[in-house]
Amino acid sequence: MNIVEIQVSEEYKNERIDKFLSTVNNEWSRTQVQLWIKDGLVKVNDRLIKTNYKCQVDDNIVVEIPEPEALDVVAEEMDLDIYYEDQDVLVVNKPKGMVVHPAPGHTSGTLVNGLMAHCKDLSGINGVLRPGIVHRIDKDTSGLLMVAKNDMAHESLVQQLVDKTVTRRYKALVHGNIQHDHGTINAPIGRDKVDRQSMTVTNVSSKEAVTHFHVLDRFEQYTFVECQLETGRTHQIRVHMKYIGYPLVGDPKYGPKKTLPINGQALHAGILGFEHPRTKEYLEFEAPLPAEFLKVLEQIKNNR
């Protein structure tokens, strides 16, 4: 059992405890926190509480994170594009079209299946279907991911994500011509009330979301940008760029139907940097744009 202790500060006074805990730790969903509370795994000032408890300043919250269930995912040999590996962490370049971790009804062909065959010793802290996974990128987004090989590394990398010290820079091609060279989008993201499979900018049951961008190149109808994540919400770049009127090229969920010939959103997690959990050395890696993305870029460059 992993025990986490958290003190409530002034800014979170009267916040519901399930919302508070899912805010301070990006890896805890509100639903997961609610289950822990119902199972008696969350105490405030040594007392059990309900999910609607309102936090008070200086409350001492103790969360007992249960041991992960026995893993029921089959290891599958894959040709993984590994950029770095040691006893604690692994950095892999995920190809477009690959799902990061299994889900009910989709338990094979994922990055986790391949990692299990490659490593044999992934961190179990994230539960039954997500061993070693600290953060993820969408199926049709390519690029770099850090993976924890033990619980010490996992806790360190998650804390770095919470502290916003991980460097995550993405290349994206968007519809429209962005006139500003730089910009910051600070708009909370939550689940769409109408389409529960989509995310949207909303003040209802949402979490803080901040994306910085700068323009790399402009074309008549498109802009090539680099986006840097300060937070890591589901579909964050895709939702934020749509929100300011520049949806990603090829995005089947948030973009226009008429787009360039690319299979899925033109988004690549090209730069990843973090502090090594054991040595404390800062490591940074860069993966080039995949061939399909490059081909589309060349196409619009030649047409301008």
Side-chain angles (χ1 to χ4, degrees):
M1 186 78 69
N2 184 37
I3 297 176
V4 177
E5 209 165 326
I6 301 166
Q7 204 87 7
V8 178
S9 58
E10 178 72 37
E11 64 181 301
Y12 293 109
K13 183 180 179 181
N14 292 325
E15 185 95 287
R16 271 181 59 128
I17 190 167
D18 52 349
K19 185 177 180 184
F20 167 70
L21 290 174
S22 66
T23 299
V24 297
N25 191 322
N26 290 339
E27 286 298 302
W28 298 345
S29 71
R30 202 162 169 180
T31 302
Q32 180 67 74
V33 169
Q34 289 168 355
L35 289 173
W36 287 342
I37 291 171
K38 287 171 183 173
D39 289 342
L41 299 175
V42 179
K43 288 184 179 179
V44 178
N45 306 324
D46 291 324
R47 300 174 67 177
L48 294 173
I49 41 82
K50 294 184 177 180
T51 54
N52 63 353
Y53 174 80
K54 300 288 181 65
C55 294
Q56 299 304 310
V57 179
D58 293 330
D59 272 350
N60 184 58
I61 302 174
V62 176
V63 183
E64 295 182 26
I65 302 172
E67 293 297 324
E69 302 168 40
L71 195 64
D72 189 25
V73 179
V74 178
E76 298 175 29
E77 292 292 338
M78 294 181 189
D79 185 18
L80 298 175
D81 186 11
I82 293 171
Y83 270 53
Y84 176 85
E85 183 177 11
D86 62 22
Q87 64 179 323
D88 299 307
V89 297
L90 178 150
V91 175
V92 61
N93 184 24
K94 184 192 82 69
K96 189 169 193 168
M98 177 184 279
V99 174
V100 170
H101 57 73
H106 190 126
T107 56
S108 66
T110 73
L111 180 62
V112 163
N113 295 107
L115 288 170
M116 286 181 62
H118 176 81
C119 296
K120 314 281 196 294
D121 58 352
L122 294 174
S123 158
I125 207 168
N126 230 339
V128 63
L129 292 175
R130 299 199 294 171
I133 299 301
V134 179
H135 62 130
R136 63 181 183 179
I137 53 181
D138 300 329
K139 175 186 174 184
D140 286 330
T141 300
S142 55
L144 298 171
L145 282 168
M146 54 187 180
V147 177
K149 295 180 70 175
N150 53 59
D151 290 355
M152 178 279 292
H154 197 123
E155 289 172 6
S156 170
L157 295 175
V158 167
Q159 190 59 51
Q160 290 180 55
L161 286 167
V162 171
D163 294 340
K164 302 176 182 176
T165 58
V166 176
T167 301
R168 288 173 291 171
R169 302 214 305 262
Y170 291 65
K171 298 285 199 315
L173 185 63
V174 301
H175 286 274
N177 197 304
I178 301 176
Q179 296 304 305
H180 301 288
D181 290 339
H182 305 274
T184 294
I185 309 162
N186 187 342
I189 290 176
R191 203 157 288 282
D192 191 308
K193 286 202 296 185
V194 178
D195 178 4
R196 303 300 292 172
Q197 300 301 309
S198 296
M199 309 301 287
T200 189
V201 169
T202 175
N203 289 315
V204 179
S205 299
S206 57
K207 293 182 180 179
E208 176 197 25
V210 181
T211 304
H212 308 282
F213 70 85
H214 74 266
V215 171
L216 299 173
D217 203 353
R218 291 184 178 88
F219 310 96
E220 189 177 342
Q221 299 176 54
Y222 308 97
T223 308
F224 184 38
V225 296
E226 182 175 78
C227 296
Q228 179 154 343
L229 291 180
E230 189 172 311
T231 55
R233 307 304 173 208
T234 302
H235 302 168
Q236 180 171 314
I237 292 173
R238 300 165 64 189
V239 171
H240 269 173
M241 296 311 292
K242 176 190 177 184
Y243 177 67
I244 64 169
Y246 302 98
L248 268 63
V249 164
D251 193 328
K253 190 180 288 288
Y254 303 106
K257 286 186 170 56
K258 290 186 177 180
T259 188
L260 294 169
I262 188 169
N263 186 27
Q265 63 272 2
L267 184 61
H268 175 67
I271 295 177
L272 175 66
F274 56 91
E275 181 186 275
H276 191 281
R278 191 178 300 272
T279 68
K280 307 306 178 187
E281 176 189 2
Y282 179 74
L283 304 175
E284 188 169 286
F285 306 91
E286 182 169 4
L289 288 173
E292 185 187 32
F293 199 142
L294 280 172
K295 185 178 178 182
V296 167
L297 262 184
E298 286 302 314
Q299 178 183 328
I300 58 175
K301 280 180 182 178
N302 292 336
N303 289 339
R304 70 176 171 185

